[in-house]
Amino acid sequence: MTCSFRQILFVFKLGYKADKYRSLLCFLYHLWVTFVNLVFLTLLPRWLIVAYEQKISWFRVLAVLLFLWISQIGYSLYSNYYNQIFRPVSDEHIYHLIQKEIFFNSLSVPFSRLDEPEYYNDFMKAGREAKGRIASVMDQTFELILNFAALFILLYVMARIHIGFVLIALLAFFLPLLWKNRLNHLIFHGDMEALKQERKAEYVNRAFFLKQYSREIKISNISKVLLKQFSDAMRNLREIRRKYGFKIALLQMLSFFFHDILCYVLFVLLAVFLLYHQSILLGDFVLAVTSLSVLTDRMNSCLNGFFLLRNAGNYLDNLEAFLPASFHNVPGQNQKITSYSHGCGHQEAEFSSLKLRGLTFRYNGCSQYALKNISLTIHKGQHIALIGENGAGKSTLIKLLLGLYDAASGEILLNNRLLSDYDKNSYQSLFSCVFQDYAVFGCSIGENILCRKIEESDLPVLTDALEKSGLSEDMKRMNLTVHDIVTKEFDENGVIFSGGQLQKLAIARALAHDREILIMDEPSRALDPLAEQNMFRRLNALSKGKTLIYITHRISSAVTADMIYFLENGEITEHGSHQELMRLNGKYARLYYMQARSYKEN
């Protein structure tokens, strides 16, 4: 795809937003480079010979040389400043802006896309292009414009000497068009094929240094599997480079022969022929010969710039897709939402109920349905337990309830209005969640809980959340404050919490945000039975007046719930209070007795 004018405008808009002086200084740099090459390598030798033949005064010659010498010093100083100081800093400004926008935009990506390998390829490609591609397109645009200007000047001068030079130059310019497009096509597709293998190699690289994988790697043979994946990825990369490299080298050799050798020979032969027959002056002969390298270099630059810009369109399409918030002016993208509201602007008084009607869902690429015809109602202040074996559909149901996935059929109603009538971000602000695979980040304890920087006014909220979750007791024993860093990722004095303490941290995070609905996905998974009993006692006390939804395998944790839903193979097979389900004497009751015997035996 050709890099369109709109895409070039997008690049310069982005560059200006990151650094308002970048475009100007970039243009001046390339203008100076073009001027130096044009004057010193082509026009100056001819002018000196003409000055000698026409006996121009030495004072005038020295004045011109002095001016050019001062210009060369200025160019050297500016070039060093631009390339060693300004450009590296400006590149970091651009990278910072783009990467931050990519991060923010990834928050609005539909959750279902996270199941697609292509999403990670696109995400990795966008991040890889964040710095170099923008700077490259700006450079190539200015180079192309100025190279065409320099080429026009040289061809004009050549035409005044002899039209044959122009014809040879045009042959050298247009002949490579036959294979340049194919060359750039090969380069792009080679990069895209290599990207998947690079991602596999990077995954193994992460697995070997991230703590979450280290225990299994050290005590099992999984390292052999990972090393084989790494070796396979690197072998495939070598094969891709070899496959595309041979074709690319062949086309480049073809370009070198026709463009650099054949045209050079024709150019010199014509110049010698004209001089021998006294059709041109010695100065014109010197200009024709000395300008040949500059002329071919300008033509090469024009061709490469054109095809590189054309090839850049493929990359910029992907990069633009990750940057809509800042450059497409999406209404409300940066709006801070503090409460949920109806799509037409109506402000809801308070949460009263959630209703699920006939929800059916399956994951992309799966033939089996994860959920089938799920219907239930959750009222404000109710405590709801979801029970079932692994794969029953409990976590999937929570993901649909949070609006992370869209159901294939059925509907969700908030306060008797369809979920589609609400802004998704404001709807999700109803929920505080503790997931099975909760995340802990390399920042302070307080920042992990609040998910933002700590302010002095936050300390009472943090203290309350830590006490309610039970983590404050552990912190007092370990002599920790909310400002201590979690993990040793960036701080050698970082705190290493146990699994149970990390879960308490995740619970404190959910409690600190004080939302209408608290969702707990296996909240007692990392806790012993006594700690589990204490945690649920605290949760039941803390969530009075609030809606609590929790998933658990331990039925003893669900006995106090107002309503229990037993899921099996994606369907609700039993529901009711603990007493009602025990009287029913179905699968729930049998599982309860089975777990009770297990606890007694242990």
Side-chain angles (χ1 to χ4, degrees):
M1 175 181 174
T2 303
C3 184
S4 65
F5 177 76
R6 180 192 58 78
Q7 288 177 317
I8 293 174
L9 191 64
F10 157 76
V11 166
F12 278 91
K13 180 180 178 182
L14 194 155
Y16 181 82
K17 186 171 183 178
D19 187 338
K20 61 183 179 181
Y21 298 111
R22 177 58 182 264
S23 297
L24 176 62
L25 269 64
C26 181
F27 174 75
L28 290 176
Y29 170 74
H30 289 290
L31 180 64
W32 215 328
V33 169
T34 304
F35 169 79
V36 168
N37 287 336
L38 188 62
V39 171
F40 281 89
L41 297 180
T42 57
L43 301 179
L44 181 60
R46 179 182 184 276
W47 186 83
L48 289 174
I49 292 174
V50 171
Y52 172 76
E53 291 177 340
Q54 296 181 2
K55 301 188 183 303
I56 296 175
S57 69
W58 280 105
F59 178 78
R60 184 178 173 187
V61 172
L62 289 174
V64 171
L65 291 175
L66 180 63
F67 170 76
L68 294 176
W69 179 67
I70 293 172
S71 299
Q72 182 68 11
I73 293 174
Y75 163 72
S76 179
L77 292 173
Y78 182 74
S79 176
N80 275 285
Y81 164 75
Y82 178 80
N83 288 307
Q84 306 304 325
I85 300 173
F86 175 78
R87 177 167 177 157
V89 175
S90 181
D91 282 350
E92 296 305 328
H93 278 303
I94 293 173
Y95 176 75
H96 180 207
L97 171 71
I98 298 177
Q99 198 65 59
K100 188 169 67 172
E101 293 292 340
I102 289 174
F103 292 154
F104 278 123
N105 187 53
S106 68
L107 301 177
S108 63
V109 171
F111 200 76
S112 57
R113 280 217 68 196
L114 302 184
D115 299 327
E116 302 170 7
E118 278 305 312
Y119 170 76
Y120 295 97
N121 288 338
D122 292 343
F123 189 89
M124 185 175 175
K125 183 168 66 172
R128 192 174 67 175
E129 301 297 318
K131 185 194 299 185
R133 185 63 56 182
I134 297 301
S136 173
V137 170
M138 293 177 75
D139 285 334
Q140 288 159 12
T141 301
F142 285 134
E143 282 182 11
L144 188 61
I145 294 170
L146 293 170
N147 281 330
F148 267 115
L151 191 59
F152 177 80
I153 293 171
L154 282 173
L155 290 175
Y156 173 75
V157 173
M158 290 295 180
R160 296 196 62 180
I161 297 173
H162 194 278
I163 194 63
F165 291 115
V166 176
L167 296 176
I168 295 173
L170 292 175
L171 177 67
F173 183 81
F174 287 107
L175 196 59
L177 292 176
L178 298 174
W179 54 80
K180 276 285 185 178
N181 189 43
R182 174 62 178 165
L183 178 62
N184 283 280
H185 180 81
L186 285 172
I187 292 172
F188 173 74
H189 284 279
D191 284 347
M192 292 304 98
E193 277 193 36
L195 188 62
K196 183 177 180 180
Q197 303 303 323
E198 288 172 356
R199 189 163 65 83
K200 287 183 179 179
E202 180 59 28
Y203 171 79
V204 176
N205 182 49
R206 287 201 317 275
F208 269 89
F209 76 76
L210 287 179
K211 183 183 176 183
Q212 66 195 79
Y213 300 109
S214 62
R215 182 173 54 192
E216 283 77 6
I217 288 175
K218 289 181 182 298
I219 65 174
S220 70
N221 289 324
I222 193 66
S223 60
K224 294 180 180 179
V225 177
L226 293 174
L227 287 172
K228 185 177 185 306
Q229 285 184 351
F230 181 79
S231 297
D232 289 345
M234 296 308 296
R235 184 182 66 253
N236 291 337
L237 269 175
R238 289 193 296 272
E239 290 175 358
I240 290 169
R241 299 303 184 196
R242 190 179 296 114
K243 179 180 75 172
Y244 283 93
F246 177 78
K247 297 176 183 177
I248 290 170
L250 188 63
L251 288 175
Q252 287 179 335
M253 286 294 295
L254 193 67
S255 177
F256 173 75
F257 175 77
F258 283 102
H259 187 274
D260 293 354
I261 296 180
L262 182 61
C263 293
Y264 179 84
V265 170
L266 293 175
F267 215 86
V268 172
L269 286 176
L270 178 60
V272 171
F273 175 81
L274 293 173
L275 180 65
Y276 182 79
H277 288 85
Q278 297 183 352
S279 299
I280 58 173
L281 300 174
L282 179 61
D284 294 332
F285 173 80
V286 171
L287 174 63
V289 174
T290 57
S291 65
L292 179 59
S293 61
V294 179
L295 191 64
T296 55
D297 182 60
R298 294 304 95 188
M299 288 190 294
N300 271 326
S301 296
C302 287
L303 283 170
N304 289 333
F306 173 77
F307 282 103
L308 286 173
L309 279 177
R310 177 172 182 169
N311 205 33
N314 295 293
Y315 298 95
L316 290 175
D317 272 346
N318 182 70
L319 185 57
E320 278 188 282
F322 279 88
L323 298 172
S326 296
F327 300 98
H328 297 282
N329 299 318
V330 178
Q333 183 71 35
N334 298 317
Q335 180 182 355
K336 185 177 180 182
I337 299 168
T338 56
S339 60
Y340 65 100
S341 59
H342 190 256
C344 62
H346 170 68
Q347 185 71 31
E348 294 291 345
E350 60 178 14
F351 161 70
S352 62
S353 68
L354 270 172
K355 294 180 181 178
L356 283 64
R357 292 179 180 170
L359 287 188
T360 299
F361 174 80
R362 66 179 174 187
Y363 292 97
N364 288 338
C366 295
S367 58
Q368 298 290 330
Y369 281 94
L371 294 174
K372 290 172 278 187
N373 196 32
I374 298 293
S375 296
L376 58 89
T377 300
I378 302 168
H379 294 288
K380 179 179 175 65
Q382 271 192 320
H383 290 189
I384 305 294
L386 302 177
I387 304 291
E389 297 179 356
N390 289 333
K394 306 181 300 296
S395 295
T396 301
L397 178 57
I398 292 298
K399 291 173 184 174
L400 263 68
L401 190 62
L402 291 171
L404 298 177
Y405 287 104
D406 295 323
S409 62
E411 56 190 17
I412 299 175
L413 296 92
L414 169 62
N415 295 351
N416 293 314
R417 285 199 178 96
L418 288 173
L419 185 58
S420 57
D421 290 342
Y422 292 86
D423 173 80
K424 183 170 283 191
N425 289 333
S426 63
Y427 166 75
Q428 289 171 342
S429 71
L430 283 169
F431 301 91
S432 285
C433 304
V434 180
F435 297 107
Q436 285 188 56
D437 50 351
Y438 51 82
V440 178
F441 305 97
C443 50
S444 73
I445 295 172
E447 288 167 336
N448 263 288
I449 293 172
L450 295 176
C451 299
R452 56 178 170 79
K453 289 289 185 182
I454 305 173
E455 298 177 2
E456 193 67 29
S457 60
D458 295 322
L459 294 179
V461 176
L462 285 171
T463 302
D464 184 58
L466 288 167
E467 288 179 354
K468 289 176 178 178
S469 68
L471 186 59
S472 60
E473 298 171 10
D474 298 292
M475 289 176 61
K476 288 174 184 176
R477 190 173 61 254
M478 299 169 72
N479 196 27
L480 300 174
T481 72
V482 293
H483 300 289
D484 285 298
I485 302 297
V486 183
T487 80
K488 295 184 182 293
E489 185 81 23
F490 306 111
D491 188 339
E492 62 182 15
N493 298 316
V495 182
I496 303 297
F497 281 133
S498 68
Q501 289 168 335
L502 289 173
Q503 195 153 34
K504 292 176 184 177
L505 178 64
I507 293 170
R509 180 187 297 158
L511 295 174
H513 290 85
D514 193 29
R515 303 283 175 79
E516 294 272 7
I517 304 171
L518 179 60
I519 293 179
M520 312 287 281
D521 190 352
E522 292 290 353
S524 58
R525 183 169 55 96
L527 303 179
D528 58 66
L530 180 59
E532 174 196 22
Q533 188 177 12
N534 291 333
M535 186 203 73
F536 272 101
R537 187 184 300 116
R538 283 196 301 268
L539 276 178
N540 286 324
L542 293 170
S543 55
K544 281 185 178 178
K546 289 194 175 293
T547 306
L548 175 63
I549 304 171
Y550 55 92
I551 296 173
T552 181
H553 285 87
R554 298 175 182 174
I555 292 185
S556 59
S557 305
V559 295
T560 59
D562 299 310
M563 181 64 70
I564 300 168
Y565 292 93
F566 189 89
L567 278 80
E568 189 175 18
N569 298 322
E571 297 180 272
I572 296 175
T573 55
E574 298 177 15
H575 69 278
S577 66
H578 173 71
Q579 291 78 12
E580 290 170 341
L581 291 177
M582 293 302 291
R583 286 196 297 269
L584 184 64
N585 198 27
K587 292 185 177 181
Y588 174 87
R590 288 195 292 273
L591 190 60
Y592 175 80
Y593 287 128
M594 187 186 303
Q595 290 187 3
R597 283 196 300 270
S598 176
Y599 278 126
K600 286 180 180 180
E601 291 172 0
N602 293 328

